[in-house]
Amino acid sequence: MAEHEAYDIHGVEAKWLPIWDRIEPFKSGRADDARPKRYVLDMFPYPSGDLHMGHAEAYAMGDVIARYWIQKGYNVMHPIGWDSFGLPAENAAIKRGSDPREWTYENIAVQKASMRRYACSFDWDRVLHTSDPEYYQWNQWIFLQMYKKGLAYRKDSPVNWCPDCQTVLANEQVVAGLCERCDASVTKKKLNQWYFKITDYADRLLDDMDQLEGKWPEKVLQMQRNWIGRSIGAEVAFEIEGRDEPVTVYTTRPDTLHGATFMVVAVDSLLAAELVKASGAEEGFAQYLESVKAATDIDRLATDRPKSGIFLNRYAINPVNGEKIQIWASDYVLADYGTGAIMAVPAHDQRDLDFARAMGLPVRVVVETGEEDPNETGIATIGDGTLTNSGSLNGLSKSAAIEKITAELEAKKLGKAAKNYRLRDWLISRQRFWGTPIPIIHCDSCGEVPVPESELPVALPSAQGLDLKPAGTSPLGAAADWVNVACPTCGKPAKRDADTMDTFVDSSWYFLRYTNPTHATQAFDKKLVEEWAPVDQYVGGVTHAILHLLYSRFFTKVLHDIGLLNFTEPFTRLLNQGMVLMDGSAMSKSRGNLVRLSEQLDTHGVDSIRLSLIFAGPPEDDIDWADVSPSGSLKFLNRAWRISKDVESAAGCDFSKGDLALRKVTHKSLRDISLAVETYRFNVAVARTMELVNATRKAIDSGCGPEDPAVREAAGAIAISLSLVAPFTAEEMWSVLGHEPSVALAGWPVIDPVLLEEDAVVAILQINGKIKDRIEVSPDISDADLEKLAMENPEMSAALSGATILKTIVRAPKLVNIVI
RNA sequence: GCCCUGGUAACCCAAUGGUAGAGGUAGAGGACUUAAAAUCCUUUCAGUGUCGGUUCGAGUCCGACCCGGGGCACCA
């Protein structure tokens, strides 16, 4: 039977790609398509060079889901595009003395070719590039809608500045004091910049996570919660000697108000500057402020560094006990969190205690927690306890005291319950060329004037003649023809805003644009979006857990509030694939452990690489390529393919006449593969397919033989299962079995429940949980019958002789456990 | 420091609270071959990080600790 013709992995690639191009199995949204819709989305790539192993893994994962849903009868939209604005293009253009457009679109072409070779199930009619004016004009349009709602605004503020990239960064782009892109140490710079008011949505971003519970990885939800950092507490007003207005502080522990023995204001705050005026402490303050400014963020981030500060020669009055307390300035209080001023309760806050001990300030315990005295140990007591030294609060618990004092403060108009967030507004201005121009015109007479919507897009000028080298201001400012315009309101000479938007704006709504990527008069068609969105399954790296996903959620809520969307969360289910490592660390050229995708594909073939990436482990785990055996994958594909070659029954034969044992394996495998795919256990789905191949091999060689219809049925099931992971091999098998392409549209086989029933199962007989024997029983045996068999079993009765039975547990048909 | 994860064979990984092993890699032996490759068959290998608890029964649930990965971190 077996002529040992070798499986030609590269031959099938060349054979099927053009055929698929012709029949387009993955076109979505045809007008006459009655199948229910599903939306599978892979995070779109940034076009930096060719695709790498990480892309290969992510797109293989997305493909499993998309292709599975297609087999299950859905009309699946699985689009792809390019996140094509950004700094690398600009840096490359500077190096090459060319326009960023050239580098960008060349790379897109390279990546696109690789994706086609990789046989992703993308709908190629939906491609978008964020650097096309047809796309980014809608960034500008959305910006203008946000501007109208007061959600886009400008302010002077100290911002994160990367001296290497020569541009500002969002808080999210600063990692441990370093620029996430180039690792340069980030400094502060006071600039007038554009912001999106994401803080207005902090509560909803937090509370709407209820919708995502169980559907997004817990890790991502946790990261977002951390990032938003909501805290609940109270604001309390302190009178200041020699000042008309009181100073409000924010605290999460209003119960400890009686223990507030001094006040601290942020040294770099306006309040500090004001309080120090005419206090006699000006000189020392100025020196201290200088030393703080000289320190980098890295130094500031070291939590164990000693407290520093300066007494401002000013006093506040504790509102609950009238006590006069000193006001200090320090850098351990942040100017842009809360009110930039705190009441210090050294007994019950470690930072305040460290400061008090360093400066010799008083410490008063107001909550008895049963811990040792912080005065002696230097360790603040933060636990629950009983209030003391606290007037009306004495004897109360922490939570009761918080409730009572908050009410009292509110009644006396001295304070109120308050919330604060770690989240800051999203700074979107960038002083770079290759991004979306901000659609605002600055006019000396009219001020800030939005570009009329009818004049969008504000298209980027040619980079020709512009110096793109980072210089601290946007290169667009030098494009005289572009920047100088007439004011839309008064017609006088005015200037365009020369900054461009953070590229995270681009990716915050692209999933909506895919529903009609060429729409000329709207960002998206509301009706189409309602048909497809929200995205049913989003797939991408956990690196975007905060930035991109938080921004997209924010945009979705804003667009919902404007009335453009009927949902409030963009991505219903999220799958984070892990990274592809080599020898335990991330691949990089400099480390010398780079594995090139194209070389892997040349050597082992597309299907082997896809299969290897899927089979290596659970999707969310990192894969060490050193542990992976692509040649093993090829071996398996070869085995699968040979099954289809060995089939000797006629196409269209009656499966129901086939060998029952093999048919049962086939149907059980199909059920298990379905279940595994639906629960993201793609590696298990592959293992089950391997089992089916092994069983079929055995049936051919030493069982029912190749002419049995059950073998044909099994081969078909293998082809369809493999179509999720190894599309070329699957198509070839399908064709060998006498079917027309494409196997991708074959439809998931109907599982016959009768074939899932077992003839006999093995029941375990235990005594005290220890196995004594195994017996074969009918799957629908009753508890009583099984117990009877157990008692009659020789092993059991031997062990039971003379013993007293305390308890009998029967779980038919699987087990009997007798406790003696 | 706080929070989220994970720890099963030489390795990668499976196991609705019910036989620890499905699958693969590597290793060993064999069949085929002049030989090798390929193919096929057979096979070795852990008691689930540690300690305690719940349970008739724990890899699985609970608690503490150890180790790895990740997030937040002077946010009052």
Side-chain angles (χ1 to χ4, degrees), chain A residues 107-121:
Chain A
N107 282 341
I108 289 175
V110 168
Q111 290 196 347
K112 186 171 180 182
S114 294
M115 282 175 181
R116 301 200 80 134
R117 174 185 186 188
Y118 201 60
C120 297
S121 62

Side-chain angles (χ1 to χ4, degrees), chain A residues 479-491:
Chain A
D481 289 349
W482 183 86
V483 81
N484 293 306
V485 288
C487 168
T489 308
C490 70

Side-chain angles (χ1 to χ4, degrees), chain A residues 441-736:
Chain A
I441 292 166
H442 299 285
C443 169
D444 285 341
S445 329
C446 311
E448 201 172 271
V449 182
V451 172
E453 285 177 23
S454 61
E455 287 175 27
L456 297 182
V458 178
L460 280 174
S462 161
Q464 194 93 47
L466 288 183
D467 183 5
L468 299 184
K469 272 197 208 66
T473 55
S474 172
L476 284 173
D481 289 349
W482 183 86
V483 81
N484 293 306
V485 288
C487 168
T489 308
C490 70
K492 284 189 213 151
K495 283 189 188 299
R496 291 191 186 282
D497 197 299
D499 285 351
T500 50
M501 295 182 204
D502 181 4
T503 55
F504 277 107
V505 173
D506 312 352
S507 52
S508 291
W509 67 280
Y510 76 113
F511 54 94
L512 302 170
R513 182 73 180 169
Y514 279 133
T515 56
N516 184 353
T518 56
H519 204 308
T521 57
Q522 284 180 300
F524 50 86
D525 180 316
K526 190 177 179 211
K527 205 168 142 274
L528 272 178
V529 165
E530 281 175 7
E531 281 176 23
W532 288 107
V535 173
D536 295 291
Q537 178 64 61
Y538 200 25
V539 180
V542 73
T543 45
H544 294 108
I546 298 174
L547 294 162
H548 162 58
L549 292 172
L550 192 68
Y551 295 152
S552 295
R553 296 182 58 223
F554 165 58
F555 262 52
T556 300
K557 290 172 201 308
V558 171
L559 294 169
H560 169 267
D561 292 353
I562 295 174
L564 297 178
L565 299 178
N566 64 345
F567 53 90
T568 55
E569 284 294 336
F571 311 122
T572 306
R573 296 209 306 172
L574 173 67
L575 173 63
N576 284 133
Q577 90 281 356
M579 292 193 303
V580 185
L581 312 175
M582 186 60 188
D583 294 323
S585 49
M587 292 183 192
S588 77
K589 220 183 277 177
S590 57
R591 234 188 229 108
N593 66 347
L594 192 73
V595 177
R596 278 183 198 289
L597 175 60
S598 59
E599 287 168 11
Q600 294 294 313
L601 298 179
D602 291 346
T603 311
H604 304 286
V606 170
D607 278 359
S608 309
I609 297 307
R610 292 173 64 127
L611 179 69
S612 298
L613 288 165
I614 295 292
F615 184 55
E620 60 275 14
D621 285 10
D622 289 346
I623 296 171
D624 195 328
W625 195 247
D627 296 331
V628 169
S629 171
S631 56
S633 296
L634 181 53
K635 194 164 106 181
F636 164 67
L637 293 172
N638 205 329
R639 272 167 71 79
W641 170 78
R642 284 201 304 115
I643 299 269
S644 64
K645 299 287 282 185
D646 286 351
V647 170
E648 286 182 11
S649 54
C653 63
D654 184 359
F655 295 157
S656 69
K657 297 202 166 63
D659 178 71
L660 194 61
L662 180 58
R663 294 204 69 207
K664 285 191 167 201
V665 175
T666 302
H667 283 251
K668 193 169 170 304
S669 297
L670 284 167
R671 181 198 57 188
D672 289 352
I673 293 165
S674 268
L675 196 67
V677 169
E678 282 171 21
T679 51
Y680 297 139
R681 286 143 59 237
F682 307 144
N683 53 326
V684 178
V686 171
R688 296 281 171 266
T689 310
M690 289 173 167
E691 259 182 286
L692 178 56
V693 167
N694 291 344
T696 310
R697 178 83 263 149
K698 203 163 257 173
I700 292 170
D701 290 347
S702 56
C704 59
E707 65 289 332
D708 192 287
V711 170
R712 171 170 286 277
E713 183 182 32
I718 293 165
I720 291 169
S721 300
L722 274 183
S723 77
L724 313 185
V725 179
F728 293 103
T729 304
E731 194 73 85
E732 183 65 20
M733 287 180 71
W734 197 240
S735 162
V736 168

Side-chain angles (χ1 to χ4, degrees), chain A residues 321-509:
Chain A
N321 56 18
E323 205 166 58
K324 195 166 130 177
I325 59 177
Q326 296 187 355
I327 304 177
W328 286 65
S330 174
D331 65 349
Y332 88 91
V333 171
L334 307 177
D336 60 349
Y337 183 80
T339 61
I342 64 155
M343 64 178 213
V345 185
H348 307 296
D349 182 288
Q350 191 59 46
R351 296 152 302 183
D352 296 345
L353 183 59
D354 292 344
F355 192 83
R357 286 165 76 93
M359 305 304 166
L361 294 161
V363 178
R364 185 190 310 135
V365 171
V366 293
V367 186
E368 291 293 355
T369 65
E371 296 160 271
E372 286 179 69
D373 185 356
N375 272 301
E376 262 129 59
T377 58
I379 297 164
T381 61
I382 53 174
D384 202 352
T386 308
L387 274 283
T388 178
N389 293 327
S390 293
S392 65
L393 304 180
N394 282 341
L396 294 178
S397 71
K398 176 170 156 181
S399 57
I402 290 175
E403 208 169 301
K404 182 161 189 200
I405 187 73
T406 307
E408 284 180 13
L409 290 168
E410 269 176 37
K412 293 180 195 156
K413 302 240 183 300
L414 289 171
K416 59 177 187 201
K419 280 187 276 187
N420 256 304
Y421 306 89
R422 216 193 66 96
L423 181 72
R424 304 294 146 89
D425 276 340
W426 174 13
L427 187 146
I428 60 152
S429 310
R430 295 293 181 274
Q431 289 70 50
R432 298 301 297 251
F433 172 83
W434 193 229
T436 306
I438 290 173
I440 293 287
I441 292 166
H442 299 285
C443 169
D444 285 341
S445 329
C446 311
E448 201 172 271
V449 182
V451 172
E453 285 177 23
S454 61
E455 287 175 27
L456 297 182
V458 178
L460 280 174
S462 161
Q464 194 93 47
L466 288 183
D467 183 5
L468 299 184
K469 272 197 208 66
T473 55
S474 172
L476 284 173
D481 289 349
W482 183 86
V483 81
N484 293 306
V485 288
C487 168
T489 308
C490 70
K492 284 189 213 151
K495 283 189 188 299
R496 291 191 186 282
D497 197 299
D499 285 351
T500 50
M501 295 182 204
D502 181 4
T503 55
F504 277 107
V505 173
D506 312 352
S507 52
S508 291
W509 67 280

Side-chain angles (χ1 to χ4, degrees), chain A residues 198-209:
Chain A
I198 192 170
T199 51
D200 270 12
Y201 284 76
D203 277 330
R204 285 168 65 189
L205 287 167
L206 213 43
D207 297 337
D208 284 355
M209 270 185 238

